[in-house]
Amino acid sequence: MVVVSGPGGVGKGTVCAELVARFPDWLWLSRSWTTRERRPGEAEDAYVYVDRDTFEQAIADGGFLEYAEFLDNYYGTPIPDPPPGMDLILEIDVQGARQVVQTTPDALLIFLQAPSAEEQEARLRRRGDPPDKVSQRLAKAAEESNAGAELGAHVIVNVDIGDTVEQMAAYIRSARSTR
Ligand code: 5GP
């Protein structure tokens, strides 16, 4: 299990999508549930979009490996069922990563960091969230920017998507060969 975490606006989603598109034979991306509304232009299958009641019922039924509330919405990883022999990738927030560290201590942790606060802010603003949400996300991102060391994660600064994907694949492959 590979956990890819990091503050908002760092490019986690883009990088993980690119990573599994490049290595579909051995990497499998978990699809999260959320109560957030779909953004304009966001892929229909970016998440499983559900209402709060449905999410809370799934919590009660023990349906999540981890879940967290992030800016008033729930996000959670359904109990994963990857095809045999494939490595599972979770793209989750810092709170979720802290839970996985507790429940799955041998998970491989990767923490992405933005090259600069300015770039991170620009990415958050480009995403199509309403302005009040953008400022909440900026505050949250600032809070979480140094959580990588605390998690004991392998930290990668996401300057160029292609380079980041290469570094992640190399790190996962090397962990695979020694386990
Ligand atoms: P967004 O609303 O930008 O799609 O996601 C907000 C945050 O929730 C991001 O940091 C994203 O990585 C995180 N996230 C997405 N799916 C999950 C999940 O299943 N569990 C947790 N804990 N966080 C998630």
Side-chain angles (χ1 to χ4, degrees):
M1 184 184 296
V2 183
V3 175
V4 181
S5 193
V10 83
K12 296 189 292 285
T14 312
V15 161
C16 287
E18 177 77 21
L19 182 69
V20 294
R22 283 265 278 284
F23 304 103
D25 298 342
W26 57 284
L27 292 178
W28 191 84
L29 184 63
S30 162
R31 187 163 164 230
S32 297
W33 285 31
T34 185
T35 57
R36 161 168 85 59
E37 295 207 346
R38 188 155 73 93
R39 293 190 185 109
E42 187 170 49
E44 274 177 37
D45 61 356
Y47 285 100
V48 176
Y49 299 92
V50 297
D51 59 29
R52 285 187 84 85
D53 286 350
T54 308
F55 200 105
E56 283 170 356
Q57 187 58 54
I59 297 173
D61 294 343
F64 292 110
L65 175 74
E66 63 72 38
Y67 69 93
E69 264 199 282
F70 182 92
L71 301 181
D72 302 331
N73 281 298
Y74 282 123
Y75 295 80
T77 304
I79 303 289
D81 188 19
M86 293 189 85
D87 288 345
L88 170 69
I89 310 282
L90 308 184
E91 186 252 290
I92 60 177
D93 83 325
V94 173
Q95 304 172 76
R98 288 192 184 112
Q99 291 176 46
V100 176
V101 169
Q102 298 300 319
T103 57
T104 318
D106 65 344
L108 201 65
L109 298 181
I110 297 177
F111 191 87
L112 294 182
Q113 234 152 22
S116 70
E118 292 74 26
E119 176 61 27
Q120 189 173 8
E121 179 168 347
R123 285 181 191 163
L124 281 168
R125 290 194 190 282
R126 274 199 299 265
R127 276 215 297 225
D129 284 315
D132 60 325
K133 290 278 170 201
V134 173
S135 38
Q136 287 175 14
R137 279 175 183 270
L138 285 170
K140 186 108 184 135
E143 225 175 88
E144 293 179 333
S145 62
N146 291 319
E150 168 229 315
L151 283 165
H154 179 69
V155 178
I156 298 176
V157 180
N158 182 27
V159 179
D160 172 84
I161 292 169
D163 288 349
T164 301
V165 167
E166 283 300 327
Q167 287 180 54
M168 288 166 81
Y171 182 64
I172 298 167
R173 272 209 200 91
S174 98
R176 223 179 193 235
S177 66
T178 57
R179 285 177 179 210

